Amino acid sequence: AMGFECKFINDTIDASDLEGVDILILGSIWGEENTYSDSEINAIKAWFEEGKKAIWVAGDSDYGGGNYIIENANRILEAIGAHIRVEPTSVEDPESNCAAAYRVAANVTNKEDKVVAEIVEGVEKPVLFHGPSILYGLKDGNPVALEEETIKNVYWVMKTSAAGVINDHDDIMPKAHENGQEGSFVVMAVE
């Protein structure tokens, strides 16, 4: 808790759960039956639109049929008007990892951009992203690779090493990247 008052929501999210909440952290939700309902998304959207709020939306890869996790995250991001989305794919890093390529140890931090440099200040070792996807952006409504395009108020925070490779596990292909593509890919971003 680090000095903060924490509240755990273990059931359906509604307006009363979000009363007095300043920061909402949404982890990856497992189980296809556990998708956010329209009423939960509307409650989160209404809460966020009050202003002076922060939300952390976690995603995951499509490994093992995880697209429902990606869709869950993207439904929340769309509802709040974010320009960041989780790619329906998986990324591996054969060089910077924790004993397996799918246990990505992101080692590229954005220390140059003053808006996010403080987030990675003091981060000197790689950070584990276990079985991650990557992120893409929406620019003028079109999917774009955050490694190549800039979007107003969207900043990448961490990337894979240059040895990162997209390794898709199903027939839903990435929107702004290509299966088999290699490079340093965004695994964490803020807007």
Side-chain angles (χ1 to χ4, degrees):
M2 299 180 69
F4 294 93
E5 181 183 335
C6 294
K7 177 181 193 178
F8 293 89
I9 304 169
N10 295 317
D11 204 1
T12 304
I13 300 171
D14 62 30
S16 66
D17 292 318
L18 299 172
E19 245 176 67
V21 172
D22 296 318
I23 301 170
L24 179 62
I25 299 172
L26 300 171
S28 300
I29 296 180
W30 288 88
E32 291 187 61
E33 69 284 357
N34 295 325
T35 59
Y36 292 113
S37 69
D38 291 342
S39 64
E40 288 178 300
I41 291 173
N42 290 334
I44 292 168
K45 179 181 185 215
W47 165 83
F48 190 75
E49 288 176 345
E50 291 173 7
K52 297 185 180 180
K53 308 291 184 191
I55 188 168
W56 175 294
V57 180
D60 207 335
S61 70
D62 65 355
Y63 184 79
N67 269 307
Y68 65 92
I69 298 170
I70 295 166
E71 291 167 8
N72 244 347
N74 286 341
R75 287 179 64 214
I76 297 291
L77 292 167
E78 180 180 3
I80 64 170
H83 294 88
I84 299 170
R85 296 291 188 277
V86 181
E87 273 281 28
T89 196
S90 178
V91 68
E92 297 180 357
D93 194 323
E95 290 182 13
S96 183
N97 63 62
C98 296
Y102 69 91
R103 295 182 189 130
V104 174
N107 62 1
V108 181
T109 57
N110 189 349
K111 294 181 180 176
E112 289 73 46
D113 196 320
K114 66 180 182 174
V115 176
V116 294
E118 191 176 319
I119 296 171
V120 293
E121 185 178 320
V123 176
E124 301 303 326
K125 293 183 179 180
V127 176
L128 173 64
F129 286 78
H130 189 280
S133 181
I134 56 177
L135 303 175
Y136 72 95
L138 289 177
K139 189 172 189 175
D140 302 320
N142 298 310
V144 296
L146 291 174
E147 304 82 25
E148 300 168 10
E149 295 277 339
T150 356
I151 300 172
K152 184 179 179 183
N153 296 324
V154 173
Y155 306 92
W156 69 271
V157 178
M158 298 199 78
K159 293 181 183 178
T160 67
S161 79
V165 60
I166 296 173
N167 185 7
D168 205 88
H169 294 279
D170 60 18
D171 21 339
I172 301 171
M173 289 296 111
K175 300 194 182 290
H177 299 84
E178 292 184 23
N179 192 25
Q181 184 177 343
E182 295 181 17
S184 184
F185 299 105
V186 175
V187 289
M188 179 188 279
V190 298
E191 181 171 3

